[in-house]
Amino acid sequence: ADIYCVWSQQLTCEPAPCVNYPDEKCCDHDDSCHWDVTQSPAICKQKYCPSTYPTTQHVDPCNADGQCMWNSTTNECVDKVCNKMTECACKEDPDCFWNGVKCADKKYGECPVMDIILLLDGSGSMSGKFGRHPHGFFALIEILRDWVKTLPLTGEPAAAPILGGPATGGVRLGFVQFSGKNRGYPWPWSSGKSNAIETSGNTGTGGH
């Protein structure tokens, strides 16, 4: 099957929804589309919920699907996003959790506030081609980006302290690039200077 085409109800072959968006930025501006990195190369595709339940005849199956919910304002099936729900809707949905302040995904909603630090290899090995990606950093960030989208980020600055009290399910992320002394490789967009943290001894990968 051609992923760029669909067979319409009029029995004609038509361009698939969303595929005409040329890049991720344009794709993500359309709420019914998402940038699918499981394809090689990546492509803009219609999200699961609107593509699976496309008409008003699918209201009940849409609401019965744990990944979806029917939006009565736009009259379409959309991806379920807990943090956009009202308190009442949140408490009625078994997949969501009301933490006293906002609605959160139940997977994270009952967790304490967390700071997560990710260490990224800053050695010269990251300058090579990784699969279909021309640069190791591009490959790494593309993978991390999809994961980050699922997290209940607090939106707080890194300098803000973690406050005690009841769980709010919030997450803050920090990214640290590291390498062996004098072996750091610059990010693709930096101008000749490495952003890597120098480590002592053989702590960093140092291109080994």
Side-chain angles (χ1 to χ4, degrees):
D2 191 330
I3 60 175
Y4 292 92
C5 304
V6 292
W7 194 250
S8 72
Q9 295 180 344
Q10 289 72 38
L11 302 181
T12 58
C13 186
E14 304 288 345
C18 305
V19 297
N20 287 328
Y21 290 121
D23 54 41
E24 183 177 8
K25 182 178 180 180
C26 295
C27 179
D28 286 344
H29 279 184
D30 189 327
D31 287 339
S32 66
C33 305
H34 76 109
W35 191 248
D36 186 1
V37 297
T38 64
Q39 302 286 336
S40 182
I43 185 176
C44 187
K45 296 176 69 175
Q46 190 175 33
K47 291 180 178 177
Y48 165 77
C49 296
S51 65
T52 307
Y53 310 106
T55 70
T56 53
Q57 297 178 345
H58 299 100
V59 175
D60 290 338
C62 170
N63 287 325
D65 190 320
Q67 302 178 65
C68 310
M69 58 186 292
W70 190 262
N71 186 326
S72 56
T73 302
T74 59
N75 223 25
E76 62 180 340
C77 188
V78 298
D79 291 353
K80 182 188 293 185
V81 182
C82 294
N83 62 16
K84 293 184 179 180
M85 291 184 178
T86 64
E87 180 178 355
C88 291
C90 181
K91 290 180 176 179
E92 291 176 355
D93 195 307
D95 296 320
C96 302
F97 175 79
W98 183 258
N99 62 25
V101 179
K102 60 183 179 180
C103 190
D105 190 306
K106 195 168 185 178
K107 294 194 298 288
Y108 309 106
E110 298 179 86
C111 297
V113 176
M114 291 185 291
D115 275 354
I116 300 176
I117 305 297
L118 298 178
L119 299 179
L120 308 181
D121 184 358
S123 68
S125 62
M126 293 296 286
S127 64
K129 185 177 180 180
F130 277 52
R132 61 185 174 82
H133 299 86
H135 199 288
F137 285 117
F138 294 157
L140 182 61
I141 294 303
E142 186 169 278
I143 294 171
L144 290 175
R145 181 181 51 205
D146 280 359
W147 171 66
V148 169
K149 287 179 180 179
T150 68
L151 299 178
L153 300 177
T154 64
E156 298 174 338
I162 294 181
L163 302 177
T168 60
V171 173
R172 299 188 304 181
L173 284 179
F175 297 89
V176 177
Q177 183 188 10
F178 74 102
S179 183
K181 185 175 179 61
N182 298 324
R183 295 187 179 182
Y185 191 83
W187 289 79
W189 49 86
S190 62
S191 55
K193 182 178 180 181
S194 174
N195 296 307
I197 293 177
E198 291 185 353
T199 57
S200 60
N202 294 320
T203 306
T205 58
H208 297 307

